[in-house]
């Protein structure tokens, strides 16, 4: 089905990377769309956890915030926020942590704190929230971000959440046993860390060229010799995703 | 516990210069109480909140805050908190000091405060630059294995302000749904003010393990139906997501913001 | 999660030499599972329990234990645990190593285990001689104020065994009433076995904040109605206080004890 | 009313020391009887907390264990045991902690661990349980124990729970701000710490002589110059106490 947008491709590609037995720590926006798309398509038993304390949620519309009532209403149980971060995240119960990024570098380090200097930032971003410990304690991290030279940069201004560190060895140095960024999903391609932990393009979305990816990346991006071609979203995938978005728009009073 | 009007509860228990925690993790955010702080012109507050949300955007824009302790400062699902950004980026209406943590650290710091511990330990802050910019993130060594653990000071607010579903006549308070750090913020604080949807004869907690704060842990209860709007109260109201989206435009511009505060807060009645 | 018979659940998940936590704070003590351990002749167990209670008196008397980690070893409201005393005082049926803590420390050590932390901090152990006899009580310094805080290693059992009210068909488990350290013992352990009164289609948790353990945190669920007797299950059965009193006489004498175990455990059927 | 037993006098005296606004951390046995007697007589709004997690309980029969169902059924709320010891006890929410003792010394230090040496004890007692932190974190501690030279000893074999330390200065040395043992209630008398923290007999129960107290104490006990005479239990007090015990016996299946 070829009438999909690049955003839809990104969300569908992220959903496909999730499995029935995953326990996902879900952020708002594209990660939430991807996780719920997986749940309503190929992974009906996937466990979705939101940092607001809701465990095993099955929302029918996408939440606007990580604490929408829908999440609690459809959850198996709702725990306190200290318990969520202590027993469930730091306790090692999360298989996939989903993170967004304002900036990301070649080693999957993420900035969501400031553009410019910390003391007098050019742009003050929301900050880390749950991300620093999602990055260290989820078995794997999936990053989802739009692909542009603004986002994919040579040096990020601030490491909010550790990928593999600025030199690629940060996780080992910090004694972390978790895998770290295992997959970066953009609107152009999929990237995975190579043996030295530097991200490599492993799959190009339909119609995307290697030149386009290079032009949209702020460093000299590695592309594996024969990158895969991401399968086009199926009719079922697109229908389910659009249905989710439509239900969400109705529930949230449309665009503001 | 005293049953007071919101005006009296705030006048008596929230003072200029106080460290104030107004919690509610997306749910049960005590907006009405925040508006009362603005109406009573509180100044030099140190505001603690994991997610400043619109409530602190309003307090910061209205000039109530000297310092913000937080871990995620956005408009959830919408974008920036423009009043917070304006204060940080341009010092309007005054400069604001920030102390920035992760959620994991703040949640544990509230729990440590409630437990009378001076610090919270966490397995966290690995490889983040926050460590270099926040002197309140330090490290201790596990005396058994030598493992390095992050430590942050416990949160001990002067006053906690929360919204909850209901209280009984003894001031026992039921909190249900996304309970966030409601209990921890109250138990970590020297004083506590709770706004509730209603006071009832029987608390009707559905489970023996329902989240209940005994009246003797609370200083004042004020009945403020809808006191969490545009946030929500599980079982009483829904989140006004449209308002969260609309706030983006209202808050982007200083004049529009000030007009909104005049029309909706300053000229409003104290509940 | 697998739904198994108690016999198979114990055979598969509890091994000789394991560190085992069979929790339940007075309420929900997994007696039937304890009896199954005796029937299957488990040996060299390190038994962890805040309050060993009759269940560990039986396991110790039956020779299953090598070590006991505990904080209060009595028959509640009655007196001594005679089998525990006989093991400690006279090495019968074998000597037993003990690691002794306070309740505050053990509760926090389970919580630390659940949170993946290597240690628990507490404001505790002030001036008690326990500190001199337990090398697992050490101290750390608050890096902000220099204050001395007690630290104990997190509890990380190989297997946790608990009893609970009910499970649904996905193995999600509801725990209600005196919840003790049921959740913490399961989440701190590598494996978890839960006996329940019944398996139901709808868990029917009365509150969104009810204590529920998701099925994916549990390895085996076994249906054992009355599996907590002579302890009790809130909503299903009452505590058999008369049995707790009767145990004093049964357990005082080695022969009477052994006869009781033969008649009531070894000759019994595995549920 | 003079047909009371020494045990009844002890429980009644303990109950009288409790007030409507107290939050008591209650142990099983005499403390539980005293706290509930206070609640059904002069202190109806007293808050009783049991270490099993039950807060604001109002049992109609005395529990045999600290986790009897009656405690949860009649509680305002029941929290987890970690929460009880973290937020409620260490958090400083308890005004009166009640402790029993197998041995107690002149500075109110308590042994409930072993008689004899720790490694090879003559008698292995139940141990500390909640007591070590009840002793340090309750605003005040009330100790309740039978008065004999076996209990009231010159040197206790093991300090399970800190009173004022073996030299009377232990609380200061440990930086504790709480008061420590404020009242010791025995079947013979009441004792309170003097200026140097050593226990002094301040009130003699009806019919008890100073000689009898001296003979029952393992150290040279201080008695204030003019000790008070503990008022005899009133008819109301005794009736309420006996009613509690009778209801309890019926509920627990009588004596074993």
């Amino acid at each position: 089905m070829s009438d999909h947008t690049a955003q839809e491709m990104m969300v569908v590609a992220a959903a496909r990377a999730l499995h029935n037995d995953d326990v996902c720590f879900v952020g708002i926006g594209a990660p939430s769309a991807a996780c719920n798309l997986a749940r309503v398509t190929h992974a009906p038993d996937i466990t979705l956890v939101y940092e607001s304390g809701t465990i095993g949620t099955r929302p029918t519309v996408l939440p606007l915030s990580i604490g929408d009532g829908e999440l609690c209403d459809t959850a198996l149980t709702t725990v306190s926020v200290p318990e969520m971060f202590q027993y469930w995240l730091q306790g090692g119960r999360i298989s996939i942590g989903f993170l967004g990024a304002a900036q990301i570098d070649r080693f999957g380090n993420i900035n969501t704190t400031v553009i410019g200097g910390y003391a007098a930032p050019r742009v003050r971003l929301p900050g880390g929230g749950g991300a620093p410990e999602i990055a260290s304690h989820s078995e794997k991290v999936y990053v989802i971000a739009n692909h542009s030279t603004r986002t994919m940069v040579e040096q990020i201004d601030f490491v909010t959440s550790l990928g593999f560190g600025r030199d690629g060895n940060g996780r080992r140095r910090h004694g972390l046993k978790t895998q770290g960024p295992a997959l970066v999903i953009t609107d152009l391609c999929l990237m995975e860390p190579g043996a030295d932990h530097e991200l490599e393009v492993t799959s190009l979305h339909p119609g995307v060229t290697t030149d386009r990816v290079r032009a949209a990346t702020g460093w000299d991006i590695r592309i594996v010799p024969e990158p895969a071609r991401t399968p086009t979203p199926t009719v079922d995938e697109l229908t389910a995703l659009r249905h989710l978005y439509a239900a969400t728009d109705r529930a949230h009073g449309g665009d503001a | 516990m005293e049953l007071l009007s919101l005006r009296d509860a705030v006048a008596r228990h929230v003072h200029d210069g106080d460290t104030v925690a107004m919690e509610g993790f997306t749910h049960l955010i005590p907006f009405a109480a925040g508006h009362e702080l603005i109406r009573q012109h509180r100044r030099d507050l140190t505001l603690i909140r994991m997610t400043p949300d619109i409530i602190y955007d309003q307090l910061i824009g209205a000039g109530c805050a000297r310092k913000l302790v937080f871990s995620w400062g956005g408009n959830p699902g919408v974008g920036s908190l423009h009043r917070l950004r304006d204060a940080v980026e341009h010092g309007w209406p005054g400069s604001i000091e920030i102390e920035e943590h992760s959620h994991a650290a703040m949640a544990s710091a509230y729990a440590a405060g409630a437990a009378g511990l001076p610090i919270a330990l966490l397995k966290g802050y690995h490889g983040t630059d926050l460590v270099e910019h926040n002197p309140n993130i330090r490290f201790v060594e596990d005396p058994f294995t030598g493992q390095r653990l992050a430590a942050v000071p416990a949160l001990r607010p002067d006053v906690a302000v929360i919204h909850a579903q209901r209280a009984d006549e003894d001031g026992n308070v039921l909190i249900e749904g996304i309970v966030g750090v409601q209990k921890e913020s109250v138990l970590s604080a020297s004083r506590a003010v709770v706004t509730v949807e209603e006071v009832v004869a029987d608390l009707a907690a559905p489970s023996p393990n329902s989240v209940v704060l005994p009246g003797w842990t609370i200083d004042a209860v004020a009945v403020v139906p809808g006191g969490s709007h545009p946030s929500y109260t599980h079982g009483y109201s829904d989140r006004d997501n449209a308002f969260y989206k609309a706030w983006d435009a209202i808050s982007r511009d200083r004049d529009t913001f000030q007009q909104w505060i005049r029309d909706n807060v300053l000229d409003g009645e104290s509940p």
Side-chain angles (χ1 to χ4, degrees), chain A, chain B:
Chain A
M1 193 161 175
S2 61
D3 67 337
H4 65 273
T5 68
Q7 294 302 305
E8 287 171 335
M9 181 71 256
M10 179 168 76
V11 170
V12 166
R16 288 174 184 159
L18 299 170
H19 304 102
N20 229 358
D21 56 355
D22 275 326
V23 179
C24 298
F25 205 95
V26 188
I28 289 305
S32 183
C35 289
N36 282 291
L37 177 59
R39 186 175 60 76
V40 298
T41 55
H42 65 282
D45 294 331
I46 191 170
T47 300
L48 306 187
V49 171
Y50 288 74
E51 66 190 15
S52 55
T54 55
I55 296 175
T57 60
R58 310 177 67 78
T60 54
V61 304
L62 298 176
L64 185 68
S65 78
I66 37 72
D68 278 21
E70 173 86 358
L71 295 175
C72 178
D73 291 341
T74 64
L76 173 63
T77 184
T78 298
V79 302
S80 76
V81 164
E83 178 178 327
M84 174 51 62
F85 282 97
Q86 290 169 358
Y87 296 176
W88 301 88
L89 182 58
Q90 292 175 72
R93 298 272 165 190
I94 305 298
S95 66
I96 308 286
F98 250 110
L99 295 177
Q103 290 182 330
I104 180 169
D105 69 14
R106 71 178 70 213
F107 288 115
N109 301 298
I110 288 172
N111 175 19
T112 55
T113 303
V114 284
I115 305 297
Y118 185 79
R122 210 156 62 248
V123 181
R124 173 67 230 196
L125 301 165
E133 282 75 25
I134 295 172
S136 51
H137 292 299
S138 308
E139 265 172 59
K140 297 181 190 181
V141 171
Y142 290 175
V143 186
I144 194 161
N146 285 318
H147 210 132
S148 80
T149 51
R150 243 174 40 139
T151 310
M152 307 285 163
V153 298
E154 178 71 40
Q155 291 289 336
I156 63 179
D157 290 356
F158 191 97
V159 178
T160 309
S161 305
L162 181 67
F164 293 101
R166 292 202 188 257
D167 63 358
N169 290 313
R171 299 188 82 81
R172 198 169 47 208
R173 204 160 45 244
H174 284 280
L176 294 174
K177 303 277 190 288
T178 49
Q179 288 184 45
L183 183 64
V184 177
I185 305 121
T186 78
D187 49 339
L188 300 184
C189 64
L190 303 180
M191 297 185 278
E192 295 171 69
D196 63 352
H197 301 144
E198 182 169 332
L199 293 173
E200 303 173 340
V201 175
T202 53
S203 184
L204 295 164
H205 294 342
V208 175
T209 61
T210 55
D211 282 354
R212 185 151 161 231
V213 170
R214 285 188 212 283
T217 307
W219 69 88
D220 184 14
I221 179 93
R222 278 193 204 159
I223 299 176
V224 298
E226 294 185 25
R229 179 62 67 182
T230 315
T232 301
T234 65
V235 173
D236 283 357
E237 287 169 334
L238 269 189
T239 306
L241 180 59
R242 288 172 185 175
H243 180 80
L244 262 180
Y245 281 135
T248 300
D249 275 351
R250 278 194 305 277
H252 296 178
D255 293 301
Chain B
M1 191 286 305
E2 276 182 299
L3 190 64
L4 296 175
S5 69
L6 178 57
R7 184 202 307 242
D8 290 347
V10 166
R12 198 162 313 168
H13 295 293
V14 188
H15 313 127
D16 286 357
D18 272 354
T19 296
V20 183
M22 306 184 80
E23 279 293 351
F25 203 83
T26 310
H27 177 220
L28 292 173
I29 302 177
F31 272 96
H35 292 171
E36 188 60 29
L37 264 65
I38 294 172
R39 265 193 300 273
Q40 295 191 21
H41 299 285
R42 285 291 167 283
R43 287 296 177 268
D44 296 320
L45 302 177
T46 292
L47 295 175
I48 308 178
R49 227 183 105 77
M50 294 182 66
T51 57
D53 202 271
I54 293 176
I55 187 175
Y56 278 10
D57 213 35
Q58 293 174 348
L59 282 156
I60 290 165
C64 304
R66 184 186 70 70
K67 181 177 175 182
L68 175 68
V69 182
F70 78 111
S71 39
W72 192 84
N75 181 345
V78 178
S80 289
L81 292 176
H82 297 291
R83 296 297 95 227
L84 168 59
R85 281 186 57 179
D86 204 9
V88 172
E89 295 169 13
H90 309 110
W92 191 92
S95 64
I96 188 164
E97 185 186 344
I98 64 171
E99 176 179 334
E100 187 168 4
H101 286 280
S102 69
H103 278 352
M106 278 194 78
S108 287
Y110 272 121
L117 283 165
I119 56 171
L121 286 191
L122 69 156
K123 269 202 329 196
Y125 284 131
H126 299 96
T128 168
D129 289 345
L130 280 169
V131 174
E132 279 139 51
H133 295 280
N134 182 348
N136 271 342
I137 304 169
R138 297 189 187 172
F139 294 87
V140 299
E141 218 176 67
D142 167 0
F144 298 94
T145 67
Q147 188 177 339
R148 200 172 99 121
L149 297 165
V152 293
L155 290 169
R156 303 299 304 259
D158 294 315
V159 57
V161 181
I162 63 165
H163 187 73
Q165 271 87 356
R166 55 186 178 269
D168 66 18
E169 282 150 11
D170 298 324
N172 302 307
V173 167
L174 176 75
I175 304 166
E176 212 168 26
I178 291 175
V179 294
V181 289
Q182 302 292 84
K183 180 184 265 189
E184 287 76 14
S185 61
V186 165
L187 294 182
S188 67
S190 305
R191 301 184 299 280
V193 172
V194 182
T195 58
V196 294
E197 294 289 325
E198 56 178 338
V199 169
V200 293
D202 178 359
L203 203 53
S207 154
N209 309 116
S210 286
V211 180
V212 174
L213 282 166
W216 48 272
T217 64
I218 293 163
D219 295 88
V221 169
V223 180
V224 187
S228 65
H229 180 269
S231 158
Y232 72 106
T233 302
H234 180 100
Y236 289 81
S237 62
D238 293 326
R239 190 169 191 267
D240 188 349
N241 281 330
F243 182 86
Y244 272 86
K245 292 183 179 179
W247 182 252
D248 193 68
I250 295 166
S251 61
R252 230 173 241 280
D253 177 81
R254 292 175 185 173
D255 291 338
T256 320
F257 165 76
Q258 288 185 311
Q259 188 64 47
W260 189 93
I261 290 287
R262 265 196 301 276
D263 293 347
N264 295 278
V265 179
L266 296 175
D267 293 350
E269 288 289 307
S270 297

